[in-house]
Amino acid sequence: RVLGMVQELEPLHKIKTHLLMTRVRAGTNSSKQAREGMADLPLFDAQIGQREMYANVWGTAIEDFGEYRYVLDELLSARVSV
């Protein structure tokens, strides 16, 4: 649904999208197959594993961003200078 909305808005405003795989069970065939199945879509290199540390942060001050720091690195490296 989200990608459909992006396609509808694209004539009005260019929107750059990337998909982020979350709750990934690293080293499994399913994670590899999911990435391969989305090879034609804009996908972050970084991915977020299924970890208790992410499930238990609701309502707390986050001190360790874990794998999300790699997502931030990708986002910052893609920024365009103004």
Side-chain angles (χ1 to χ4, degrees), residues 16-82:
K16 188 171 184 178
T17 59
H18 279 75
L19 303 176
L20 175 63
M21 291 178 57
T22 61
R23 300 180 72 180
V24 174
R25 293 176 191 218
T28 61
N29 287 332
S30 60
S31 67
K32 181 181 175 188
Q33 290 170 352
R35 189 168 284 280
E36 289 170 355
M38 294 188 285
D40 59 332
L41 298 172
L43 192 62
F44 278 99
D45 291 331
Q47 64 185 25
I48 309 303
Q50 184 166 338
R51 303 215 189 317
E52 286 297 312
M53 69 179 280
Y54 301 130
N56 294 325
V57 297
W58 183 255
T60 65
I62 299 171
E63 294 178 19
D64 179 4
F65 290 97
E67 294 163 317
Y68 281 94
R69 71 180 175 272
Y70 302 120
V71 177
L72 179 59
D73 290 343
E74 280 191 63
L75 288 170
L76 292 175
S77 70
R79 280 185 19 186
V80 177
S81 300
V82 181

